[in-house]
């Protein structure tokens, strides 16, 4: 049974940094599409970044140049390094995975079959 467990959220001042982690278990294959989403109160869940099993990545325009997604395959852990944080980055952050392919063929919420419970990130001025 696949499980995703996020950690690393917290409160930080604007301009600060956080690194989120997502420990994955229950899947030992090498093909995956994994992503970070976030959801602020009253807003829809939105994609932040995703990574394919070949290591290629993409980012939402709002986080390009500030966030970096990566995966340690040996530890089966997904990361999101967040720098230059802004108050608009405040949200619950979720890790998501699809293991049907090594490439993310879609980036919407409905594409991903596995989700973590979320970790809160709060950025203050």
């Amino acid at each position: 049974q696949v499980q995703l467990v996020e950690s690393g959220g917290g409160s930080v001042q604007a301009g600060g940094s956080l690194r989120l982690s997502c420990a994955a278990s229950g899947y030992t294959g090498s093909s995956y599409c994994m992503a970070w989403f976030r959801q602020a109160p009253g807003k829809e869940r939105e994609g932040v970044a995703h990574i394919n099993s070949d290591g290629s990545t993409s980012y939402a325009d709002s986080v390009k140049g500030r966030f970096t997604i990566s995966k340690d395959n040996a530890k089966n852990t997904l990361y999101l390094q967040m720098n230059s944080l802004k108050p608009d980055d405040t949200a619950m952050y979720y890790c998501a995975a699809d293991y049907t392919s090594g490439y993310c063929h879609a980036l919407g919420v409905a594409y991903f079959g596995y989700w973590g419970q979320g970790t809160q990130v709060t950025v203050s001025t």
Side-chain angles (χ1 to χ4, degrees):
Q1 181 178 357
V2 173
Q3 284 192 319
L4 304 175
V5 180
E6 300 99 332
S7 61
S11 296
V12 65
Q13 287 191 324
S17 298
L18 283 173
R19 188 176 81 155
L20 306 183
S21 299
C22 171
S25 61
Y27 175 76
T28 58
S30 59
S31 296
Y32 59 83
C33 159
M34 297 191 75
W36 287 98
F37 284 77
R38 66 186 181 186
Q39 188 168 19
K43 295 188 177 181
E44 292 187 353
R45 192 169 297 189
E46 63 173 359
V48 173
H50 86 273
I51 185 167
N52 300 305
S53 53
D54 66 356
S56 58
T57 60
S58 71
Y59 298 89
D61 288 343
S62 59
V63 306
K64 278 181 183 176
R66 301 188 298 121
F67 291 11
T68 303
I69 188 172
S70 62
K71 188 173 185 288
D72 185 330
N73 291 324
K75 295 182 179 179
N76 210 5
T77 300
L78 181 73
Y79 300 100
L80 185 68
Q81 177 67 43
M82 305 186 295
N83 299 328
S84 302
L85 282 161
K86 304 175 181 180
D88 283 350
D89 296 318
T90 296
M92 185 72 80
Y93 282 72
Y94 297 91
C95 167
D98 170 71
Y99 295 116
T100 62
S101 171
Y103 186 81
C104 299
H105 293 282
L107 299 177
V109 169
Y111 181 73
F112 295 89
Y114 300 99
W115 292 85
Q117 81 290 349
T119 186
Q120 178 67 38
V121 171
T122 302
V123 185
S124 59
T125 55

